């Protein structure tokens, strides 16, 4: 979470000078367990359970909306992306 907050602050500060055109997925593990954050090019940051961006995002979100669950195992996740 600290890395996502730091990155969001740096991106927001830089937007005033020379904007970046990037979307980020930031994942990590801390005392609160595994976490995933999605940040857009305007430095909007949100904690999410699942995320995708880019060319295949619409297709990927469709799969995740249908098959993702909070207790998804590693093997189930691998099967999902095959």
């Amino acid at each position: 979470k600290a890395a996502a907050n730091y990155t969001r602050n740096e991106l927001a500060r830089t937007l005033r000078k020379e904007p970046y055109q990037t979307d980020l997925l930031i994942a990590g593990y801390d005392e609160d367990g595994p976490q995933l954050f999605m940040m857009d090019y305007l430095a909007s940051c949100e904690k999410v359970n699942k995320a995708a961006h880019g060319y295949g995002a619409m297709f990927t979100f469709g799969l995740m909306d249908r098959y993702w669950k909070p207790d998804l195992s590693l093997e189930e996740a691998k099967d999902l992306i095959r």
Side-chain angles (χ1 to χ4, degrees):
K1 186 173 181 177
N5 286 332
Y6 173 79
T7 304
R8 188 217 134 338
N9 287 335
E10 288 299 305
L11 187 56
R13 184 178 56 80
T14 305
L15 278 172
R16 294 175 185 83
K17 297 176 185 174
E18 49 186 274
Y20 290 117
Q21 294 296 315
T22 185
D23 291 330
L24 303 170
L25 295 176
I26 300 175
Y29 191 93
D30 61 12
E31 62 275 355
D32 295 326
Q35 298 184 57
L36 176 63
F37 296 88
M38 187 165 187
M39 188 178 310
D40 69 8
Y41 70 98
L42 296 173
S44 172
C45 183
E46 184 173 346
K47 184 177 177 184
V48 294
N49 292 323
K50 54 189 181 291
H53 65 84
Y55 183 74
M58 294 298 243
F59 174 75
T60 304
F61 271 124
L63 287 175
M64 288 189 292
D65 285 342
R66 183 168 184 174
Y67 297 109
W68 182 87
K69 57 187 178 182
D71 59 345
L72 189 69
S73 72
L74 179 58
E75 287 306 313
E76 290 172 319
K78 287 178 182 179
D79 287 341
L80 179 60
I81 63 172
R82 288 185 188 138

